Amino acid sequence: MKDWMIDLFQAYGGAAYVLSLACNVAISVLGVVPSAFLTAANLTVFGFWPGFWVSFAGEALGAVVSFVLYRKGVRRWNGTKWLSHPSVKPLLHAGGREAFFLILALRLLPFVPSGVVTFVAAIGRTSLSVFTAASSLGKLPALWMEAYAIHQFLEAAWSGKLLLAVASIVLLWFVWRKIGQKTAE
């Protein structure tokens, strides 16, 4: 997918920036597609810092567009059962300063799905301005870490990539085994 995006961006020249923003908005609205391949394409085509800033602008814009669409289209889901889960309630009922710091903290955590944060904030009491500020501010360090990791991976020699792949497979095997042991108990 990354290679296809690189070819697409190179084919469209100056319009590639706008195309990247549009792709980021689409990924954000879908809410479940990871954007790492798009960040990798941006870094490859535009260079590290321009690629980072185009990725940041796209993710921030995508979060705002998603928030607005979710707010208009799915507010009726506010009463669904999964929204009564204790881990969802704080953001759902937060407003103002409390919502700002909750969204900021959730954006800083790399394992919290961005689409879930946007969805819950959109159907909750969070205002668009609070969401935009907290989400964008929280995305800066998280995206920088992602971009730096991707950049280092792209610049690594094939032996480094092979070592990382083997380490990932071993880690996955240990986690899978641990899960299997817990389900057997």
Side-chain angles (χ1 to χ4, degrees):
M1 186 67 143
K2 174 190 72 107
D3 293 333
W4 182 79
M5 292 303 293
I6 290 170
D7 291 342
L8 187 67
F9 291 166
Q10 288 173 339
Y12 282 93
Y17 290 103
V18 175
L19 188 57
S20 176
L21 292 174
C23 288
N24 244 320
V25 169
I27 287 170
S28 293
V29 169
L30 291 174
V32 293
V33 178
S35 64
F37 74 91
L38 184 55
T39 301
N42 287 339
L43 296 176
T44 302
V45 173
F46 306 123
F48 184 81
W49 286 110
F52 167 79
W53 287 113
V54 126
S55 292
F56 170 72
E59 288 202 18
L61 179 63
V64 169
V65 169
S66 298
F67 181 90
V68 170
L69 290 175
Y70 294 167
R71 176 147 288 172
K72 290 191 181 299
V74 292
R75 267 226 166 171
R76 66 182 185 275
W77 287 17
N78 201 358
T80 59
K81 190 172 183 168
W82 72 270
L83 289 173
S84 62
H85 192 276
S87 62
V88 174
K89 281 186 176 183
L91 180 56
L92 189 63
H93 299 297
R97 175 177 262 175
E98 182 185 12
F100 178 87
F101 286 111
L102 270 171
I103 293 166
L104 178 66
L106 291 170
R107 287 291 192 232
L108 291 172
L109 298 172
F111 53 85
V112 176
S114 184
V116 172
V117 174
T118 303
F119 179 79
V120 174
I123 63 173
R125 296 183 357 180
T126 305
S127 70
L128 177 61
S129 60
V130 166
F131 176 81
T132 300
S135 181
S136 298
L137 189 59
K139 280 185 177 290
L140 269 173
L143 184 62
W144 183 85
M145 287 186 288
E146 176 184 316
Y148 184 75
I150 289 170
H151 179 71
Q152 291 303 308
F153 181 77
L154 292 173
E155 297 296 314
W158 72 269
S159 58
K161 292 176 183 177
L162 179 63
L163 182 63
L164 184 60
V166 169
S168 297
I169 290 168
V170 169
L171 180 64
L172 182 62
W173 179 76
F174 276 116
V175 169
W176 186 265
R177 193 167 157 226
K178 199 69 159 168
I179 291 171
Q181 288 174 350
K182 284 192 180 206
T183 56
E185 292 175 0

